[in-house]
Amino acid sequence: MSRRALRRLRGEQRGQEPLGPDALRFDLLEDDDADDEGPKPGLGGRRPGAAGKEGVRVNNRFELINMEDLEDGLVVNGERSDATLPDSVSSGNKGRAQRGNPETKQDGDVANAGFPEQSNASGKLRKKKKKQKNKKSCPGESSENGLEDIDRILERIEDSSGFSHPGPPPLSSRKHILYVEHRHLNPDTELKRYFGARAVLGEQRPRQRQRVYPKCAWLTTPKSTWPRYSKPGLSMRLLESKKGLSFFAFEHSEEYQQAQHKFLVAVESMEPNNIVVLLQTNPYHVDSLLQLSDACRFQEDQEMARDLIERALYSMECAFHPLFSLTSGTCRLDYRRPENRSFYLALYKQMSFLEKRGCPRTALEYCKLILSLEPDEDPLCMLLLIDHLALRARNYEYLIRLFQEWEAHRNLSQLPNFAFSVPLAYFLLSQQTDLPEHELTSARQQASLLIQQALTMFPGVLMPLLECCSVRPDATVSNHHFFGPDAEISQPPALSQLVSLYLGRSHFLWKEPATMSWLEENVREVLQAVDAGDPAVEACENRRKVLYQRAPRNIHRHVILSEIKEAVAALPSDVTTQSVMGFDPLPPLDTIYSYVRPERLSPVSHGNTIALFFRSLLPNYTTEGERLEEGVARGPNRNQGLNRLMLAVRDMMANFHFNDLEL
């Protein structure tokens, strides 16, 4: 009876037998079910490495690793070595007999009579081992043959995959700094790292069973509370591909254009309920979702505002072109096209919600995505924000790498945020204990060098920074003319705006005691250089007067979107006097229109005399009846419009005095 059958009868499992003197001895058999025949030798048998054996006995099964018999079966490139290939092909079943039951050798003539081929196989095995010993005497040749085999394998792999050594690296590797990772676009990934998967997904798992959205989305997760998705008429097309870049653009169908016209009229009415009515018929109209999200945010309904932004992102992601990629960094969207701006603004608003939610790593990935859509123009000026998010996410290496790669052609050191954030990243990197000592020392030296250059270039940052951090400066610093009040007053308005933006956003990153001590040391070094008459001080002063005359339009757009009070207060008057819409703040002056909004009907055609009278007094006056005829406010009726008209008449008559008329 076989061993397996005995184990089954006894109810034992393989490997659970009690250890005895013969427990660690086993035979290399072709079939585990072979019957146990013939006497078994004791522990004093021959060693497994001895030559001329038909079967191999092993006391320690780990000795099989270095056995010469296993080296005969070495496989390279799917073929056996030259020493074993002829025997394995010519002998056929001789190899099986050679690896067969080892007990047959002890029976002498019985084994030779039962297996006549075994003696020939054992003889050939001895010849092969002698050849191998001769080959082992030349280790140099064997190593060279092994290297040749490895090179041959690599060449075959490259030929099969189409890879080649020469040639420049692809564009994606050269601009890898803008590469976006899909897993970091999901805030749950970051929340799981903070609180654990059970705390984050505990309430979501039952809801996912009722999910009715088959389409997978990277930017957001569809919710069961949303209206059922149907194509709203939004699509994307590929404009052109050149120099490794693909240029795309969103498109509006005729039905979507009609909804867009109604939305513009609803915005002009200054009534959020009109946008709500429009969303009842077009639940995935992007601009309506963005505008209503701002209205909810002003009313402190943050949850509803974030939900509307996520719905807008889902609507636009469903319209993506098959070749449009969020992660490659080679897809471009022209901000001059109004259809593309909604995607920019939706991403920015979602990034703001993620930062407030406590997910800076996910917000950094969204910032990289926005920057990759048009890195040269940077319409939302994400370079003023990416350093802050990198520091909050503690991704210091990324910020340093971005500065090193883009400083040559973008002059990032001329922006106050990069001038102070990069040395802070070096300093925080030098505080980590898991790095070698020489790297920590090098990072500390680089941090001190860069912060001294930043203080020399932007002396007006120090005193407001200390004030924001509730730190009282030393008298030698506050009374010095270089860092005193004159430094803040004498800087150009555009520079003051950038400084206010940076301090309002990132001042709390400097509140650590170790950071303040390091800053104090470098401030004293800068004061010594100023008193010594360093020529770099005068050069930086001349540069400030030339570079920061007027901020470009994208910086003003970024300040409006940031909603930082100190920076908004520093905006010029020509920007603050303009009407700024949340769905399209400060549109570019060279906008590319794909379709034109039709002109509104004149009230003269209706023959409404009362409306004409009030139109002459108030040129911007529009009756509720006109809005109804344009199909915007479908809920209210004409009686409500007349009531509002009568209220307006009463207010005008209450403020009207006949004595003011000259008869």
Side-chain angles (χ1 to χ4, degrees), residues 23-41:
L24 296 177
R25 184 183 65 207
F26 67 98
D27 301 327
L28 294 178
L29 300 177
E30 183 69 21
D31 188 5
D32 192 36
D33 293 335
D35 295 337
D36 299 331
E37 298 178 358
K40 298 181 180 179

Side-chain angles (χ1 to χ4, degrees), residues 200-470:
V200 175
L201 300 178
E203 299 180 356
Q204 297 181 7
R205 288 172 181 172
R207 298 176 183 177
Q208 289 179 355
R209 298 177 182 176
Q210 302 176 359
R211 180 177 171 181
V212 295
Y213 297 90
K215 185 176 178 58
C216 180
W218 290 108
L219 297 176
T220 184
T221 302
K223 301 179 181 179
S224 58
T225 57
W226 291 357
R228 182 175 296 274
Y229 178 78
S230 60
K231 293 184 178 180
L234 187 65
S235 61
M236 178 185 285
R237 68 185 177 96
L238 176 63
L239 298 178
E240 60 177 348
S241 297
K242 60 181 181 180
K243 298 181 181 181
L245 302 176
S246 300
F247 296 85
F248 296 87
F250 284 96
E251 284 187 335
H252 295 171
S253 64
E254 294 183 1
E255 181 181 358
Y256 197 93
Q257 292 178 16
Q258 297 296 328
Q260 187 72 12
H261 299 329
K262 296 177 182 179
F263 163 74
L264 296 176
V265 176
V267 170
E268 292 176 356
S269 68
M270 305 298 292
E271 181 63 40
N273 292 331
N274 293 338
I275 302 178
V276 174
V277 173
L278 179 61
L279 283 175
Q280 291 177 358
T281 56
N282 299 275
Y284 286 93
H285 184 260
V286 178
D287 286 344
S288 298
L289 293 171
L290 296 179
Q291 190 70 19
L292 190 60
S293 174
D294 289 341
C296 294
R297 187 164 50 85
F298 294 150
Q299 296 176 2
E300 302 298 332
D301 192 354
Q302 302 293 334
E303 187 66 24
M304 178 60 69
R306 182 163 58 89
D307 186 79
L308 293 173
I309 294 297
E310 292 179 356
R311 200 199 301 183
L313 284 175
Y314 180 74
S315 176
M316 304 199 78
E317 188 173 359
C318 291
F320 280 175
H321 192 275
L323 299 179
F324 184 80
S325 174
L326 294 172
T327 61
S328 63
T330 59
C331 297
R332 301 288 184 264
L333 285 175
D334 194 349
Y335 192 81
R336 295 176 298 174
R337 297 181 178 272
E339 298 85 355
N340 297 339
R341 297 174 198 164
S342 302
F343 187 58
Y344 278 91
L345 297 174
L347 290 175
Y348 187 93
K349 295 177 186 297
Q350 177 70 356
M351 177 193 64
S352 301
F353 283 121
L354 291 171
E355 182 186 3
K356 296 176 182 178
R357 192 181 176 186
C359 301
R361 183 64 183 86
T362 310
L364 174 62
E365 215 67 20
Y366 272 83
C367 185
K368 291 161 56 178
L369 174 58
I370 299 173
L371 184 59
S372 67
L373 295 177
E374 200 170 359
D376 296 332
E377 299 295 333
D378 195 9
L380 298 186
C381 211
M382 303 309 298
L383 288 177
L384 298 177
L385 176 62
I386 193 170
D387 62 298
H388 169 75
L389 296 176
L391 289 175
R392 284 202 59 189
R394 298 181 181 180
N395 198 348
Y396 310 129
E397 295 84 357
Y398 176 80
L399 177 59
I400 294 173
R401 183 184 175 188
L402 176 64
F403 178 77
Q404 292 175 350
E405 293 186 9
W406 283 26
E407 167 63 16
H409 65 282
R410 298 297 292 268
N411 294 326
L412 298 181
S413 60
Q414 304 305 312
L415 295 174
N417 58 312
F418 267 94
F420 283 86
S421 294
V422 173
L424 180 59
Y426 272 111
F427 174 75
L428 296 176
L429 193 64
S430 67
Q431 300 297 309
Q432 298 181 358
T433 58
D434 55 346
L435 295 178
E437 185 65 26
H438 67 279
E439 293 185 7
L440 297 179
T441 305
S442 176
R444 181 65 178 262
Q445 294 176 354
Q446 188 69 14
S448 300
L449 176 62
L450 292 177
I451 193 61
Q452 292 176 18
Q453 294 177 0
L455 290 171
T456 305
M457 183 65 189
F458 306 104
V461 177
L462 179 62
M463 300 305 294
L465 176 61
L466 296 178
E467 184 180 357
C468 292
C469 297
S470 301

Side-chain angles (χ1 to χ4, degrees), residues 641-654:
L642 293 176
N643 292 335
R644 292 186 179 183
L645 181 61
M646 296 302 298
L647 290 175
V649 172
R650 186 181 62 183
D651 294 338
M652 291 184 62
M653 295 300 296

Side-chain angles (χ1 to χ4, degrees), residues 521-534:
E521 296 175 2
N522 291 277
V523 167
R524 297 186 184 278
E525 294 290 336
V526 172
L527 287 179
Q528 293 178 4
V530 172
D531 294 337
D534 191 349

